[in-house]
Amino acid sequence: KELIENSLDAEATTIDIHCSGGGLSFLSITDDGNGFHPKDLPLAAARFATSKLVRFDDLNSIKTFGFRGEALASASMVG
């Protein structure tokens, strides 16, 4: 779910999902959306981190599905 939301937030018009073993053995999601800026890479897999908020008041103007990084951090926890 988080990875698909990331694709939609990146303005993807095509999302391809491939998995096996219910996604536990293999999961691949590719899209034609926009990537994130290289300076945001350190935050990409950090738990509870986002590049979408700078100030607390930014919470009032979020127009996306999720916080970039949630999916990557979640995936990195699966062992």
Side-chain angles (χ1 to χ4, degrees):
K1 172 188 166 283
E2 302 293 344
L3 289 171
I4 294 169
E5 288 177 350
N6 283 358
S7 295
L8 294 171
D9 286 345
E11 301 177 352
T13 58
T14 302
I15 304 171
D16 294 311
I17 304 168
H18 301 275
C19 67
S20 62
L24 296 175
S25 301
F26 177 81
L27 177 62
S28 172
I29 298 178
T30 56
D31 64 50
D32 63 349
N34 303 309
F36 52 82
H37 194 278
K39 74 176 179 60
D40 294 328
L41 186 58
L43 290 176
R47 197 169 182 204
F48 306 123
T50 182
S51 61
K52 293 184 178 185
L53 300 175
V54 176
R55 299 179 325 256
F56 184 78
D57 289 340
D58 292 343
L59 286 169
N60 295 321
S61 60
I62 292 177
K63 294 177 176 48
T64 59
F65 289 103
F67 294 109
R68 184 176 293 135
E70 278 182 273
L72 298 176
S74 296
S76 71
M77 299 295 164
V78 176

